Amino acid sequence: ISSDQDFHAAYPAGAELNELFFLDTYIYAAPGAERIKPLAEVDLESLISSELILREFPTASKEHIFRIDLIREKGDTLTAFSPELSWE
């Protein structure tokens, strides 16, 4: 995940922002199983649906378009862009 704008001093435009997001997953799991996990810990094969949760607000720019790249097992990449999101 990256942004078209500077997020804050440590994350300029285009920098990887994965560590600033959690993935709230909806999977078939035992009752009481942990649902919200860092992106790197998610088993994508059991994923039914999900929501990305931003852990902090941007300070450098208030309007962002996020780019989300998913690299599949075969090496091809799926890319999606968010609509412009604004923080006041």
Side-chain angles (χ1 to χ4, degrees):
I1 299 173
S2 60
S3 174
D4 66 329
Q5 301 294 319
D6 294 345
F7 197 81
H8 57 59
Y11 298 98
E16 184 178 291
L17 302 174
N18 292 0
E19 65 189 38
L20 299 180
F21 286 86
F22 279 100
L23 189 63
D24 186 356
T25 59
Y26 297 91
I27 59 175
Y28 179 76
E34 184 179 359
R35 243 183 45 189
I36 299 177
K37 299 180 179 183
L39 290 174
E41 296 177 14
V42 174
D43 174 15
L44 296 178
E45 289 189 19
S46 63
L47 193 63
I48 294 172
S49 68
S50 62
E51 294 178 2
L52 287 172
I53 300 170
L54 186 57
R55 295 175 24 180
E56 59 186 79
F57 295 112
T59 57
S61 177
K62 301 300 181 188
E63 283 125 13
H64 294 264
I65 296 173
F66 292 103
R67 176 184 173 140
I68 300 110
D69 291 315
L70 295 174
I71 301 169
R72 298 185 343 168
E73 202 171 86
K74 293 181 181 180
D76 57 324
T77 302
L78 302 174
T79 301
F81 293 90
S82 74
E84 185 174 79
L85 303 173
S86 299
W87 285 267
E88 293 182 23

